[in-house]
Amino acid sequence: MSTEESTQEVQADVQDAKMREPPTAPAAMATANKRRPRIDFTVLSGERKRGKSMFGLVVGTLNKAKIEDKERNASEAAKKRQLIEQRLQDKLRKETDSVRRAEEAKKDKTAANRREEELQLKDSIYKLRHVRLPLLSNFLLTSDIIPPSDASPPPSTNPLAPPSRSHPPPLYYIPAVLTPAQEAFLVRRKAEVTGAAEREWEAFRDERTSGIEEIKQFRQRVTEEEARRKREREDTAKAESEDKEMAEESSEFRHLDADMEVDEEPKPEPESAESERKDESGGMRADDEDAVEY
């Protein structure tokens, strides 16, 4: 028992000694590498001045570009360019409006022609009815129901209605000698048909008058649109000629600006002047050397 206890005490002493020993070089390097590096916020005065000068150069370049842009916009060529762009926008808007009005005029023309054909067809129909129906009222029909002369006739709902269809179809006829009932029936029906035909003709005349006024309005709009398009074509031709003149003037201005820029470029000094300056600098350097030797 004593031997085991002494062995355990020796092992414990060895472990304590290892824990107390300083760390080796690799362990110390690993610990140092794990440390978080610190950022040095101190900036040298030279670097700070250099940053300020760079920022000043950037601001100066932006201000110069802004000034040049203002001068360019204020120049005569820029004004002419803006005027041309505005005219092009106005031309595009006018063309769009002209196309829309042309479509409306086309629809009005089609509506006027269609309405005119409809009135012509109705006019021929109602004219025929106005003449033919009173003439047919002088005849009897095989399908007529003639009441006796002493009986009251039934009221007629539509005297202009065509005869009912049957098989065989009804026929118009007139007896050589009319009975009193037939004669009274014909007189009554002729009066009813004549009055109804007159009323129908009067109603159609009113409709025809309003239709003619409507057709006149359609044709008037078409005529106005054609006159407006003619004026627009003349104005467009005039504007195109003016735009062409302005484009030629702006091209001349651009050529003048380019020539001025070429003239403003620094001219290279002649070789003779450079050689003279070199000779003068060489002579001055020789004098200085002589003075030093003396």
Side-chain angles (χ1 to χ4, degrees):
M1 294 290 289
S2 61
T3 304
E4 293 178 356
E5 290 178 357
S6 62
T7 304
Q8 291 178 357
E9 290 177 358
V10 170
Q11 290 178 355
D13 293 338
V14 172
Q15 290 179 358
D16 293 338
K18 287 182 178 180
M19 292 178 66
R20 291 191 186 95
E21 288 180 358
T24 58
M29 290 176 65
T31 306
N33 289 333
K34 288 181 180 179
R35 290 180 181 176
R36 190 174 182 181
R38 294 183 180 179
I39 300 172
D40 188 9
F41 291 98
T42 60
V43 182
L44 297 176
S45 60
E47 294 180 357
R48 186 178 298 172
K49 289 181 180 179
R50 186 175 62 183
K52 288 184 178 180
S53 62
M54 292 294 292
F55 180 73
L57 287 173
V58 172
V59 174
T61 305
L62 293 175
N63 291 332
K64 185 179 179 181
K66 190 184 293 184
I67 292 170
E68 289 178 355
D69 192 12
K70 288 183 179 179
E71 290 178 355
R72 194 181 301 110
N73 292 332
S75 63
E76 189 68 22
K79 290 181 180 179
K80 288 182 178 295
R81 194 179 302 109
Q82 290 178 359
L83 182 60
I84 291 172
E85 290 178 357
Q86 185 177 1
R87 285 187 177 180
L88 289 175
Q89 291 178 359
D90 294 339
K91 183 180 179 181
L92 180 61
R93 186 173 59 254
K94 287 181 180 179
E95 287 180 354
T96 306
D97 191 16
S98 177
V99 170
R100 181 181 59 80
R101 290 186 178 181
E103 291 293 332
E104 292 179 356
K106 187 177 180 181
K107 290 180 181 178
D108 291 341
K109 188 175 181 179
T110 304
N113 294 334
R114 189 175 299 170
R115 183 63 173 162
E116 186 177 7
E117 292 176 359
E118 182 182 356
L119 287 178
Q120 289 177 356
L121 179 62
K122 284 186 176 182
D123 184 73
S124 61
I125 291 172
Y126 283 110
K127 277 182 178 179
L128 180 63
R129 287 170 63 84
H130 183 254
V131 175
R132 184 169 179 269
L133 292 178
L135 293 176
L136 291 177
S137 64
N138 294 321
F139 297 88
L140 294 174
L141 277 170
T142 55
S143 60
D144 288 338
I145 300 174
I146 301 173
S149 59
D150 55 351
S152 60
S156 177
T157 57
N158 187 11
L160 299 179
S164 60
R165 294 183 178 181
S166 61
H167 185 73
L171 299 175
Y172 287 96
Y173 71 99
I174 185 71
V177 179
L178 295 173
T179 62
Q182 290 175 345
E183 189 174 356
F185 178 78
L186 287 175
V187 170
R188 186 176 64 253
R189 188 169 68 179
K190 185 176 182 179
E192 292 175 356
V193 169
T194 303
E198 288 293 335
R199 289 191 298 270
E200 185 183 59
W201 177 249
E202 291 294 331
F204 170 70
R205 287 179 64 183
D206 295 338
E207 181 184 356
R208 186 178 61 181
T209 303
S210 62
I212 290 172
E213 291 296 328
E214 186 178 358
I215 291 170
K216 285 182 179 179
Q217 292 177 2
F218 286 145
R219 297 279 171 80
Q220 181 68 24
R221 286 203 292 265
V222 172
T223 305
E224 291 176 357
E225 179 61 22
E226 290 177 353
R228 189 189 63 81
R229 290 178 66 183
K230 184 178 179 181
R231 289 194 303 270
E232 280 187 356
R233 284 195 296 269
E234 294 175 356
D235 296 339
T236 304
K238 185 178 179 181
E240 285 179 355
S241 62
E242 292 178 358
D243 292 340
K244 188 175 180 181
E245 293 176 359
M246 291 182 68
E248 292 176 355
E249 292 178 359
S250 62
S251 63
E252 291 178 1
F253 278 116
R254 283 198 296 272
H255 290 312
L256 289 175
D257 293 339
D259 295 339
M260 290 174 67
E261 289 178 358
V262 171
D263 294 338
E264 289 176 359
E265 290 182 355
K267 296 181 179 179
E269 295 182 356
E271 295 180 357
S272 59
E274 292 182 358
S275 61
E276 289 176 0
R277 282 202 299 272
K278 288 181 180 179
D279 294 340
E280 290 176 358
S281 61
M284 291 175 66
R285 194 178 299 110
D287 294 340
D288 293 338
E289 290 176 357
D290 295 338
V292 170
E293 288 177 0
Y294 178 76

